[in-house]
Amino acid sequence: MLQERIPDLAKFVEPDRVRREVYTDPTIFELEMQRIHERVWIYCGHESQVPQPGDYYAVQIGRQPMLMVRGKDGGVHVLYNRCPHRGNMMCGDRHGSAGEFFRCSYHSWTFQHDGTLRTIPMMESGYEGTRWTRDNPDCNMKRAARVESYRGFVFASLSEEGPTLAEFLGPSRIAFDDMCDRAPEGEVEIVPNCFRVVQHSNWKIFLENQLDALHPSVTHQSTGRAARDVEIAIEKRTGHAPLSYHMLSAFATVTIDKWDVFQTLNYPHGHCILTGYMGLRPKDPDTLAYERVMEKAYGKARAEEILGVNIHHVLIYPGLSVQSPLQQLRAVRPLGVDKTLTEIWHFRLKGAPEPIYRRSLAYYNLVNSPATMINADDLENFWKCQQGLASEGGDWVSFHRHFGRDIAKEGYVETGPNMGTSEAPMRNQMKAWSELMSKD
Amino acid sequence: MATKRKGASPRKALKKRAVRSSKPARAVKSAAVTRLNGRDTQHAVEQFLYRQAEYLDTKRWQNYIDLFSGDGIYWMPPDPSHTTWEGMPAIFAEDQNLMTVRMNRVLHPDAWSQRPLWGTNHVVGNVTIESEKPNGDVVVRSRFHMMELRRDDVRHFAGSYVHHLKRTKDGYRIKLQRVDMTNAQAAYDYVLQVWV
């Protein structure tokens, strides 16, 4: 039916521009949920969120309410949050423990943590000769078609078909490698807090902003300037301002023309990387102490290799923005064509000294909390984009900057030298969008 | 008793401030002679909390920041179980320096999100003095309700304040203000621009 309404999706996306309906049409949104979010690998959460058997977290995949749960065998399962009896939602909380087994609040059907039916009241009689039998899979809580994790980060796909998680992530897995390798113990654990912020704009607007090097010095100028003034005042008074002021002031001190020196790398499936600009490797005593711990754990050469990775953002299309050197990520959950939820998490580097955790925590609190001095202005722009795109003042969204100058390499597309502000990441995301949306 | 003798000094400070402030405070001054010390404290603390809320609703940001002591912290935990802001995720955990960044950002002409019409209205009540030290420092618990208008959208935030107030020669200063919002864990429809 949707196919009839939108006979030719190809006409909505051209290599250098996209029609406005892609962001505003509820029918296209429904199709996106079917063909993109409910097919490809979507981030569910980190294994350390569910340490004990029965621990669960609710997660939305496309339009499907799911549960990520720790099983008794130690594995992590992803199930539809639905009782197969009458369709009742099994867990009404965002997270918690199911205990020994799931129990439906309506008629007390119970299920193992992997979704297998355990008991129903009076099951010994009353079902003879009916379709209800223990070996009927319809009597279990339905599982996500595929669940895989990479270095503790759990993904699920609601489609039996498609690339494996490793194939899907490709080089964008550096998001998790960079995060985990920076831990002397080689892994991270969740900081048990999720900041959740709703934006009144299409989910793609958020993703396109993540690697947009043209906007920070414009959108975030007010905070950057305000932070720079206080940073200077503190430096004058004490000789040294905390790094958190630099994290904010960099938004103003790196002016629009300076952004070209950074680079974006664009991969298959819509993933992209923006190289780093914040200079998060100062020579202060905290950093040096951390580097010594890293050298002890990995050896000098390997530690240097790990600490030398210079990434600002990794975008894992279509729903995850990772800031690996700061150990935080934002999961994007589309709620409607003009409404998007971001779930924002922070991770602790296992084995790293406390000041290193505190440093990235400062960024988490200042930039990613619901009192953010940075994203407030982004969200204002996203809302304005959504309003403007609803108008008939024009049909197209422009991604023309440095179009035609992208350099195709083996397995990825690089922006040319001194073209960090290229809109290549947006073009790359829309290319993936077209590929996914064209499959029935 | 030593405590009684010391207990008199906050009253003196209150008198001093009452002289400088407007009419209602003057009425307190005369009443203070006969009232119990606890009631004086109650009144002074209430006036302080109301003034703080008024600074927010009238966007007098510098006056608001000045209510904090040099080492004072404005803290909004994301979870009521948190007992410290140090090393913890926090919605706000700001000293005067960070508060100054926030103020200057809000006042910057290119703070895009500040352009649309917005305003707040705070009501503070249920003011309960949890403890008072001989030196006049108090811990106060109160409840608030805040309505915010932004463009045509109204939001409501409610919760509790716990103020750790230091008695100084210029009146109370905030050593720590803890803000627990009842809706702290709900998803935020848009963000919080300034202190609640």
Side-chain angles (χ1 to χ4, degrees), chain A residues 170-184:
Chain A
S172 75
R173 67 182 179 277
I174 196 171
F176 308 115
D177 289 334
D178 185 36
M179 207 191 280
C180 297
D181 289 348
R182 284 172 186 272

Side-chain angles (χ1 to χ4, degrees), chain A residues 198 200 223 357 370-371 377 380, chain B residues 87 105 113 150-151 188-189 192:
Chain A
V198 174
H200 289 264
T223 300
Y357 160 71
D377 295 315
E380 171 75 6
Chain B
R105 161 195 143 57
S113 56
R150 191 179 139 79
R151 289 199 179 91
Y188 286 76
D189 199 334
L192 300 168

